[in-house]
Amino acid sequence: MKQKFARLSHIVAGGAGLVANLLLLAMLGAIGVQVVARFAIGAPTVWAEELARFLLVAITMIGSAALIEKNRHISIDVVVDVLPKGARIAVGWLRDAITLTVCGLLAHYGWLLVGIGGRQTSTGLGVKMSLPYLAIPIGAALIALVLVLSRLGRVSEEG
């Protein structure tokens, strides 16, 4: 059963990583258009900088889900590394509980922001702000899902 959870976690995290990489390419394209328009043509675009900003938020949220499966987030583990194995495992579980709590709060308040964004329109792209705000609850839900699946896939490890 652990292998199924680990495999599902790997699939979801891999999909999130693929989406984040595609969004990164789109962001780099938008920034390239902005640079060319501003410096080569002398007529900066209104939409490219805004699109790049929205994509950066989406990349951060969705990319975090891809990173969390393998514990590739930035961490300061000097103190944790000197703890005995049992304490390291307990700290890992505590870290995961805190992360899930934060993800729940992000998903909840992000969803409220999506509702508010439905009444606002972005200046550059002219889209409802609920669309770029969706990255927050979707990313938080993906992070939580990958965290739970990967933890269930390695229940006894210190992770």
Side-chain angles (χ1 to χ4, degrees), residues 12-30 55-67 72 142:
V12 173
L18 177 64
V19 169
N21 282 318
L22 292 173
L23 293 175
L24 179 62
L25 288 174
M27 184 180 83
L28 291 173
L55 289 173
L56 180 62
V57 173
I59 292 164
T60 301
M61 294 302 295
I62 295 170
S64 292
L67 293 174
R72 290 189 176 162
L142 277 174

Side-chain angles (χ1 to χ4, degrees), residues 109-124:
Y109 288 107
W111 190 251
L112 293 177
L113 191 60
V114 168
I116 293 168
R119 298 186 299 263
Q120 301 170 339
T121 304
S122 73
T123 19

Side-chain angles (χ1 to χ4, degrees), residues 71-84:
N71 289 327
R72 290 189 176 162
H73 282 279
I74 295 173
S75 64
I76 301 171
D77 50 12
V78 173
V79 175
V80 176
D81 286 345
V82 298
L83 295 174

Side-chain angles (χ1 to χ4, degrees), residues 34-156:
Q34 178 69 358
V35 168
V36 168
R38 179 179 302 258
F39 296 110
I41 301 171
T45 63
V46 178
W47 59 269
E49 186 272 332
E50 186 175 79
L51 177 62
R53 194 171 350 114
F54 293 161
L55 289 173
L56 180 62
V57 173
I59 292 164
T60 301
M61 294 302 295
I62 295 170
S64 292
L67 293 174
I68 204 156
E69 181 198 28
K70 304 260 191 250
N71 289 327
R72 290 189 176 162
H73 282 279
I74 295 173
S75 64
I76 301 171
D77 50 12
V78 173
V79 175
V80 176
D81 286 345
V82 298
L83 295 174
K85 184 174 182 177
R88 281 196 313 263
I89 292 171
V91 168
W93 282 94
L94 177 63
R95 176 204 60 211
D96 291 348
I98 292 169
T99 302
L100 287 174
T101 302
V102 170
C103 284
L105 290 169
L106 268 174
H108 173 73
Y109 288 107
W111 190 251
L112 293 177
L113 191 60
V114 168
I116 293 168
R119 298 186 299 263
Q120 301 170 339
T121 304
S122 73
T123 19
L125 294 170
V127 298
K128 293 288 184 189
M129 286 302 294
S130 56
L131 183 63
Y133 289 159
L134 266 175
I136 297 168
I138 288 173
L142 277 174
I143 292 167
L145 176 64
V146 170
L147 178 61
V148 168
L149 290 173
S150 66
R151 176 53 82 176
L152 290 174
R154 55 181 163 79
V155 172
S156 64

